[in-house]
Amino acid sequence: MRRFLPHPLLTVSLAILWLLLANQLSAGHVVLGALLGWLIPFATSSFWPERIRIRHPLTLLRFLLVFVIDIVRGSFLVAWLILKGPARLRPVFVEVPLALETDLAIGLLANTISLTPGTVSARLSADKRTLIVHTIDTGDAAALVAEIKQRYETPLKKVFEQENA
Amino acid sequence: MIDILLSLLIITGALFTFIGSLGLARLRDFYTRLHGPTKATTLGVGCLLIASAVYFSVRDEGVSLHEVLVTLFLFITAPVSAHLLAKAALHLKVRSLASTPAPDATTNPAVQRNPAD
Amino acid sequence: MMLETVIPIAFTLVSLAFLLSFWRLLKGPDAPDRILALDTLYVNTIALLVLLGIHLGSAIYFEAALLIAMMGFVGTVALCKYLLRGDIIE
């Protein structure tokens, strides 16, 4: 099973991507998409050293919902801050200590931080233990770090890193 | 009805695109300027693309979803380019309104590889 | 026919966004600022193309938008890599 279908999730996403690109749902495109989704993971297997496992699909869904809401919230916040003018901004660099260990989870967290209200991830330390985050306007840096950890890191940790829960 | 929804999406999208660039022109240091284009502009263009998907789905009476592809692509790439830009700016020690964190020498392998340069 | 009135307004807003980004591209002051301006410019181009597609009622502009999105991202990454390492191909 594992030898013939090394990355089932990747296969499914590639097939869906193909159908979106073709912009039609005909039998021929479904077959072609499935074939591409099956073959491409073999050609690119060196880019996928580890198998991705999703452990709590419900937590992931809730995380995605929070994520989408926060993208909209973040854009409104940044738009409001830009219109209000640069004089009253309080930009700060904060350090977020990471509890995550795998590259995938850290990358997802960094991207999530960049898309959500008022924060952009700026640098990951060489030992992958702290993430430096720039915030456009904050009064309380400690509360911000706590919010990032509780709102984004905890669900990511649960979904991608928790062993046999 | 569809007309109103489309108009709303297009105006919201264009407004966010404009505000993102306004932030780019107006704010005072590189790191705060980075926020406008990554968030406001991405959402703005996302709104326009969704408007386009709705418009062509209604007009051609079939589902037109390939705009979703561009939207997804933008939402995946925007944070990556923002992160790289911030990293490059920290590396070059671009002037900042906030106090910058201590340099992390090990993040630059080029320096490590050729200490003589 | 609200669309006929809304689309010119949207065109104006996106074009203004274009001009503002272009101003930042010219003014700088640092290299990352200019790259950020270029990055914003390509995203604005996608917005403009999508609007044009709706205005002309033709879906052929989608492929151009997709290509610009991909090329623009690769360009931004290459320029950032250059700033970080002083070298693109390692």
Side-chain angles (χ1 to χ4, degrees), chain A residues 63 67 71 103-117 119-122 131 152 156, chain B residues 38-39 73-84, chain C residues 73:
Chain A
F63 173 74
F67 178 56
I71 287 176
D103 289 351
L104 173 76
I106 293 174
L108 280 176
L109 179 69
N111 282 4
T112 311
I113 287 172
S114 293
L115 276 177
T116 47
T119 47
V120 166
S121 61
L131 190 65
Y152 309 122
L156 279 175
Chain B
T38 32
K39 295 195 202 63
F73 189 80
L74 280 180
F75 272 102
I76 294 169
T77 56
V80 178
S81 13
H83 178 83
L84 272 172
Chain C
F73 173 64

Side-chain angles (χ1 to χ4, degrees), chain C residues 3-83:
Chain C
L3 271 182
E4 259 93 272
T5 50
V6 161
I7 285 180
I9 301 173
F11 265 124
T12 317
L13 281 170
V14 177
S15 307
L16 281 174
F18 226 92
L19 286 177
L20 285 169
S21 315
F22 198 66
W23 184 72
R24 178 54 68 195
L25 177 66
L26 292 178
K27 191 167 176 260
D30 297 302
D33 280 295
R34 292 179 211 267
I35 300 176
L36 181 61
L38 281 173
D39 190 72
T40 316
L41 275 173
Y42 93 74
V43 182
N44 286 347
T45 314
I46 297 173
L48 220 54
L49 265 178
V50 170
L51 276 174
L52 192 69
I54 298 177
H55 177 65
L56 297 176
S58 132
I60 56 168
Y61 295 97
F62 158 78
E63 268 82 13
L66 189 64
L67 278 178
I68 291 174
M70 289 159 87
M71 296 297 163
F73 173 64
V74 173
T76 308
V77 171
L79 284 169
C80 287
K81 276 274 169 206
Y82 178 71
L83 286 188

Side-chain angles (χ1 to χ4, degrees), chain A residues 5-16:
Chain A
L5 199 63
H7 302 285
L9 279 175
L10 184 64
T11 302
V12 172
S13 351
L14 281 170
I16 292 173

Side-chain angles (χ1 to χ4, degrees), chain B residues 61-74:
Chain B
E61 284 159 8
V63 191
S64 170
L65 279 180
H66 60 187
E67 281 88 351
V68 176
L69 212 62
V70 185
T71 319
L72 260 178
F73 189 80
L74 280 180

Side-chain angles (χ1 to χ4, degrees), chain A residues 71-72 75-76 79 83, chain B residues 3-21 39-51, chain C residues 2-3 6-7 9-11 13-14 17 47 51:
Chain A
I71 287 176
V72 178
S75 301
F76 273 98
L83 290 177
Chain B
D3 240 27
I4 296 172
L5 174 75
L6 272 179
S7 309
L8 214 66
L9 275 173
I10 290 174
I11 281 292
T12 325
L15 254 177
F16 270 112
T17 314
F18 171 70
I19 290 172
S21 290
K39 295 195 202 63
T41 305
T42 310
L43 186 76
V45 178
C47 279
L48 286 175
L49 283 160
I50 290 166
Chain C
M2 252 167 102
L3 271 182
V6 161
I7 285 180
I9 301 173
F11 265 124
L13 281 170
V14 177
L51 276 174

Side-chain angles (χ1 to χ4, degrees), chain A residues 137-165:
Chain A
D137 180 52
T138 187
D140 186 354
L144 183 85
V145 173
E147 197 198 335
I148 289 174
K149 288 189 82 70
Q150 185 256 323
R151 205 174 166 89
Y152 309 122
E153 195 184 20
T154 314
L156 279 175
K157 178 112 186 145
K158 200 171 164 193
V159 172
F160 291 104
E161 292 190 355
Q162 210 170 68
E163 290 302 324
N164 36 332

Side-chain angles (χ1 to χ4, degrees), chain A residues 52-69:
Chain A
I52 296 168
R53 257 173 222 224
I54 292 172
R55 285 187 180 87
H56 297 265
L58 275 179
T59 314
L60 183 66
L61 272 180
R62 235 191 42 221
F63 173 74
L64 284 177
L65 192 70
V66 169
F67 178 56
V68 171
I69 291 171

